[in-house]
Amino acid sequence: MKVRRCFVVFILFFKVSFSQTPSKPVTDNSQGLKVNLNQDGSKFLRFVIWNQIWARSIQNNPGTLVGSEAARRTFDIGARRIRTIAYAQLSPRYLILTHIGINNQTFINNGSAGNSGTGANGAGKKPQIFYHDVWNEYAIIPAKDPGTGKQNKFTNFIGAGLHYWNGLSRQNSASTSNLLMIDAPGFNWPTLEMSDQLTRQFGIYTKGVLGKIHYQACINKPFATSNTPVAGGPAVDNNGNSKASLGGYFDYQFLDQESNILPFKVGTYLGTKKVFNIGAGFLSDKDGTKSLTTNNELKKHDIKIYCVDAFADLPVGGKASKMSLTALTSFYNYNYGPNYIRASGTMNTGVVDPGFTGVKAQEGAGNARYVLGTGKIWYTQAGFLLPQQISKKVRIQPMAAYTVKNLEALDESGSYYDIGSNFYIDGHNAKITIQYSDRPLYNNNKIFERAGEWIMQFQIYL
């Protein structure tokens, strides 16, 4: 309750403090820090840097230990993301990119490997920086013809490396620096930390445009998985020596055309573009999972996932108000094999309390929830950027999301709710987001309780 009051006091202070100065326009921060390598700027080196710090009040699942103490509610502050991208256009046809950073560092976990205990060697300290993306790209048909300088209506690029040119959906290549909600929903990355490295795999991709159709497709080598199936139990990630996976996403962009220089799909343009897209995609991974029958017969299963989605970001109300509407809806059909299901919690600090005698959530401890599984998920989010006249310096964008998950392994479908607001001090460069998320909890495959968490995010982005 004290933490919740702190959030309310902060919002009131925030509104009063910034109500006396002239309005700043919402800025376009897609360019990052650019260093030109030639006179006309066609060769350049660009850096994109951002960090997201979370302060949270979490209603943990029943039967949770945090540290050595039973804790139904936890307050913490941690780093959701600290990232740096550097990419260079070395010629009209050649681009290279690297992306490094850390994720999900809390006061108690996600520190560097081998650290344990407390004090200077605490398990939450000194996280390892790792490469998220490392890929090179060649323009077979560039956006602008190097000889004539004319724009090409058809373009084609090919690249290779540890890459983020995923198939399936818009949100499977979501940018985390300009999200509408405080975070992506999780199920948009269907192989997350199973057969991929933070949603990336080694592979070869192609991308481009054909008029108003934008496309990207890839052939990848998934990381090996070796989870052990239980007789009569669900399918689990076990690809042995993995087969190649295939993915693709195609969307028709009716209005303004989005940039496809980088794979990171924008969550909200804040009215700086007029966008309406309809898309569809797929992901296929042969023999990606295995299960055991009650007779101990080993079965292999292909991972097959499909998605259709629509995205709109539209300025409304005229130039004076600078209002905008952002909305996305998507429908996923997942098939990982019989009764496959996966649960996890973002920056989860809880573990199961072995001495707890009450009704436990089968998802696990902390803020764990069922993320995805064989079945269907429908997701919708929307946000509205209020008129600039309402706040003299900070732009306000209330937003909400709703998810329905109908998963084969559960007897009841689950509804998930998120509601909050973005406060833009300088567009996505400097913003604060407050969100409340509510989730169902399952026992014996039926919903028996609900739990929620408050999150406040502080984001700086260059």
Side-chain angles (χ1 to χ4, degrees), residues 8 84 118 132 198 234 248 267 285 322 336 357 359 395 425 443-444:
V8 174
T84 299
T118 59
H132 294 56
L198 203 73
D285 185 0
K322 297 187 184 301
Y336 295 87
T357 58
V359 179
R395 300 299 305 276
I425 304 168
N443 182 273
N444 198 27

Side-chain angles (χ1 to χ4, degrees), residues 35-82:
V35 179
N36 289 333
L37 302 179
N38 62 357
Q39 193 169 5
D40 65 6
S42 60
K43 297 181 181 180
F44 61 84
L45 173 63
R46 183 167 287 151
F47 298 92
V48 182
I49 304 165
W50 74 103
N51 66 69
Q52 296 165 336
I53 304 301
W54 281 13
R56 303 183 297 171
S57 175
I58 303 170
Q59 185 181 3
N60 292 308
N61 297 346
T64 293
L65 285 179
V66 177
S68 59
E69 298 179 358
R72 192 64 206 274
R73 184 169 291 278
T74 305
F75 170 75
D76 75 341
I77 300 175
R80 178 68 177 98
R81 296 178 181 92
I82 302 175

Side-chain angles (χ1 to χ4, degrees), residues 93-105:
R93 293 186 182 272
Y94 200 66
L95 180 143
I96 62 173
L97 180 142
T98 59
H99 176 188
I100 63 172
I102 68 169
N103 307 279
N104 303 327
Q105 183 186 9

Side-chain angles (χ1 to χ4, degrees), residues 182-428:
I182 207 165
D183 208 350
F187 52 79
N188 55 304
W189 295 309
T191 59
L192 180 61
E193 295 296 11
M194 290 297 178
S195 59
D196 64 34
Q197 178 173 295
L198 203 73
T199 80
R200 282 81 169 173
Q201 294 177 343
F202 288 108
I204 301 169
Y205 68 86
T206 184
K207 65 165 187 177
V209 300
L210 178 58
K212 292 190 174 185
I213 298 175
H214 289 227
Y215 65 91
Q216 59 192 62
C218 59
I219 178 169
N220 295 335
K221 178 70 170 180
F223 288 90
T225 56
S226 58
N227 290 338
T228 304
V230 177
V236 298
D237 292 274
N238 187 321
N239 59 30
N241 181 6
S242 60
K243 311 293 193 302
S245 67
L246 302 173
Y249 179 68
F250 312 86
D251 64 341
Y252 189 90
Q253 304 191 0
F254 291 88
L255 303 175
D256 289 349
Q257 302 299 289
E258 297 185 89
S259 170
N260 71 341
I261 295 174
L262 301 181
F264 311 108
K265 306 292 188 185
V266 171
T268 174
Y269 283 103
L270 305 174
T272 60
K273 293 178 78 73
K274 184 182 289 186
V275 177
F276 176 60
N277 306 341
I278 294 178
F282 71 96
L283 174 66
S284 175
D285 185 0
K286 186 172 179 58
D287 296 342
T289 65
K290 293 179 183 177
S291 65
L292 275 178
T293 68
T294 53
N295 296 323
N296 285 323
E297 181 184 359
L298 186 66
K299 297 281 189 180
K300 297 181 180 180
H301 311 282
D302 297 344
I303 297 174
K304 294 182 179 179
I305 308 170
Y306 305 95
C307 178
V308 292
D309 57 22
F311 172 73
D313 197 300
L314 303 170
V316 296
K319 293 182 178 180
S321 67
K322 297 187 184 301
M323 295 186 295
S324 67
L325 173 68
T326 303
L328 178 140
T329 189
S330 53
F331 178 79
Y332 293 82
N333 188 338
Y334 301 85
N335 189 351
Y336 295 87
N339 292 317
Y340 179 100
I341 196 165
R342 196 187 313 160
S344 69
T346 301
M347 295 173 64
N348 195 348
T349 60
V351 297
V352 173
D353 181 356
F356 182 74
T357 58
V359 179
K360 292 184 179 180
Q362 64 190 52
E363 294 93 326
N367 62 348
R369 63 174 64 194
Y370 281 123
V371 179
L372 52 75
T374 294
K376 298 175 175 62
I377 296 178
W378 175 59
Y379 175 79
T380 295
Q381 64 177 24
F384 189 78
L385 186 64
L386 299 180
Q388 63 177 353
Q389 293 88 344
I390 288 180
S391 178
K392 300 302 182 182
K393 187 171 183 179
V394 177
R395 300 299 305 276
I396 301 173
Q397 184 187 41
M399 42 67 168
Y402 175 67
T403 309
V404 177
K405 300 182 182 181
N406 185 4
L407 304 181
E408 181 181 271
L410 303 175
D411 294 338
E412 294 182 51
S413 61
S415 296
Y416 299 74
Y417 306 91
D418 307 283
I419 188 168
S421 183
N422 293 306
F423 299 89
Y424 296 99
I425 304 168
D426 186 14
H428 291 292

